[in-house]
Amino acid sequence: MWKKDGDDLPVSATRFMDEFMRLKRGSVSRRHFLGVTGLGLATAALGGPYGRPFIGHAAAQDLGQHVNLSSWPNYHDPATFEAFTAATGVAVHLSVTNSNEAALERLQSGAADWDLFVPTNHTISTYVGLDLIEELDLTRLSNYSAASQNLLFTWAGQVSGRTYAVPKNWGTTGMAANTNKLRTHIASWKEFFDTAMNEGSGRTVIHDYQLTTIGSALVSLGYSFNSIVPAELAEAEKLLLEVKPHLLAIDSDYQATMRAGDAWLAMCWTNDGLQLNRDIPEIEFVLGKDGGEIWTDYFAIPKAASNKVAAYALLDFLMDPTVAVKEHIANGAPTTDSRVLALLPKEIRSNPIIYPDEAALTPLEFAAAVTLTDPGRVDLMARFKAA
């Protein structure tokens, strides 16, 4: 969690509001308030860099008592939600999903009670086609700036010229390897699977997520991450069935086992790679020189959301650069927003885990929409998990 200039960690929501009320009464200075509460929480409550009073804007609406957010594991700073609750009185109920396929299934079945969720780039056109997410009213997102976004990572949020999702962050899918445990230096997906069946046997975790599990197996065989060619999928299935007896787990939330030393090798997303390496430097994050995935995650509002007013309020809060920068520092995923990038410390902007060089990114592919629902890939993953 971020400290600014050696200050203490951000205060609790109760302390935050006590200090804020003291500021409003004039009993403390703004400098005292900023120093006690920390830059991220203070500027969020006071309205961000452009002076828009977030509390006043939110208070003009009936936001209800809570807002439901569905997101990915290890993906948010809890202090962000404490600050939102302190500013609005609305509690954020966070649930976690392990795959976009599971999210799609829940939305289609009506089982999802989400007001806001975090889909990946390749899913958005499918959600729009199935009428599962609503076109966003950008006039309700005063903190969002399309002009400050990097179009390389934001194009998927628009379908037929209409905006259905705004970006949270981008990243890559690579490998986390404990170099104190593994003698093999792993630099490709072929080496990942070879090591999993040898030195890493019983110590390897792969995602509970067909896109990256099947995609990475395909890459290791020399095929496209997005392939739906039956013969190529058959080869990927053979490889995955060979490696399965050697796995410690099939799990998209793998940080705990890597931190405990039970796992030595794992499929890994950028943000997890940064968090693990930051706390345990011997755990390295590596991209496959033979290919793999580059991605953007977005925020979207389901058509069936029961509290869209609070969803917009939370989304607008998260789009504030002074809130987003704290999220990125805690989370570790790279930003799509130039305003946020300018606020990040140099040591983060220069970290190759978060911002790899062009040579490392060149072999990577964005997931194609067809991979979400292709029956060949869906059935392959079901057979692999059931085997």
Side-chain angles (χ1 to χ4, degrees):
M1 196 173 290
W2 180 34
K3 290 186 179 182
K4 180 180 180 290
D5 297 333
D7 290 343
D8 292 337
L9 294 176
V11 298
S12 69
T14 301
R15 175 78 186 283
F16 178 88
M17 285 308 294
D18 287 343
E19 293 294 338
F20 179 71
M21 294 309 296
R22 293 177 70 198
L23 176 67
K24 287 186 69 176
R25 291 193 299 266
S27 59
V28 299
S29 69
R30 187 173 187 273
R31 176 177 292 182
H32 168 88
F33 178 67
L34 292 174
V36 169
T37 59
L39 176 64
L41 299 186
T43 51
L46 293 173
Y50 305 111
R52 287 185 290 268
F54 184 84
I55 292 178
H57 174 72
Q61 307 172 79
D62 180 8
L63 301 180
Q65 295 183 332
H66 67 268
V67 59
N68 294 327
L69 168 66
S70 174
S71 191
W72 296 87
N74 313 303
Y75 220 35
H76 298 275
D77 183 352
T80 300
F81 300 140
E82 290 181 11
F84 178 76
T85 301
T88 65
V90 179
V92 180
H93 294 175
L94 176 66
S95 60
V96 171
T97 187
N98 283 330
S99 74
N100 282 293
E101 290 77 25
L104 174 61
E105 182 179 348
R106 286 183 63 83
L107 285 169
Q108 285 185 299
S109 68
D113 59 350
W114 310 329
D115 301 308
L116 186 68
F117 76 116
V118 183
T120 307
N121 50 271
H122 68 292
T123 68
I124 294 168
S125 61
T126 298
Y127 287 133
V128 172
L130 294 172
D131 199 31
L132 293 173
I133 60 177
E134 69 169 37
E135 180 183 357
L136 294 178
D137 180 358
L138 297 182
T139 66
R140 300 170 72 175
L141 300 177
S142 59
N143 288 316
Y144 175 68
S145 169
S148 70
Q149 297 293 330
N150 185 331
L151 294 179
L152 175 64
F153 304 112
T154 60
W155 54 271
Q158 292 192 336
V159 178
S160 301
R162 298 178 175 181
T163 301
Y164 289 88
V166 291
K168 181 187 187 301
N169 46 238
W170 67 277
T172 57
T173 303
M175 307 155 240
N178 189 322
T179 58
N180 279 0
K181 302 292 186 179
L182 295 170
R183 296 183 303 274
T184 304
H185 175 70
I186 300 167
S188 69
W189 286 107
K190 183 179 187 307
E191 292 168 348
F192 175 92
F193 286 103
D194 287 346
T195 302
M197 291 186 284
N198 291 283
E199 188 183 1
S201 181
R203 301 288 188 173
T204 300
V205 180
I206 66 173
H207 289 162
D208 185 9
Y209 181 28
Q210 68 91 350
L211 177 72
T212 48
T213 293
I214 296 173
S216 300
L218 286 163
V219 167
S220 77
L221 296 166
Y223 301 126
S224 167
F225 180 86
N226 289 306
S227 178
I228 57 171
V229 177
E232 296 174 359
L233 291 177
E235 288 187 53
E237 181 172 5
K238 180 181 178 182
L239 172 61
L240 289 171
L241 291 176
E242 288 175 356
V243 80
K244 186 174 182 182
H246 298 275
L247 297 177
L248 174 66
I250 301 171
D251 193 348
S252 298
D253 192 359
Y254 41 83
Q255 277 209 39
T257 53
M258 288 294 294
R259 289 176 182 276
D262 298 324
W264 299 348
L265 182 63
M267 286 184 179
C268 183
W269 288 298
T270 299
N271 51 296
D272 289 311
L274 185 281
Q275 292 171 36
L276 288 167
N277 179 258
R278 184 169 55 195
D279 297 340
I280 310 173
E282 59 266 28
I283 298 179
E284 294 184 349
F285 177 76
V286 181
L287 294 176
K289 63 184 180 182
D290 46 359
E293 184 193 20
I294 184 172
W295 46 263
T296 307
D297 279 344
Y298 291 77
F299 289 109
I301 298 177
K303 275 283 185 74
S306 60
N307 193 353
K308 293 180 183 179
V309 175
Y312 272 104
L314 177 58
L315 181 52
D316 194 32
F317 185 80
L318 293 167
M319 291 290 104
D320 184 327
T322 60
V323 174
V325 70
K326 188 173 180 298
E327 278 278 279
H328 285 287
I329 290 170
N331 168 289
T335 180
T336 65
D337 190 334
S338 61
R339 300 172 302 171
V340 177
L341 187 64
L343 295 174
L344 287 168
K346 182 179 179 180
E347 61 267 22
I348 290 181
R349 299 196 306 268
S350 61
N351 188 319
I353 293 177
I354 314 172
Y355 296 101
D357 61 26
E358 185 176 353
L361 293 177
T362 297
L364 308 184
E365 302 173 68
F366 280 101
V370 68
T371 60
L372 181 65
T373 55
D374 176 69
R377 292 178 71 123
V378 172
D379 292 346
L380 191 165
M381 190 66 180
R383 290 193 296 271
F384 166 61
K385 292 176 67 175

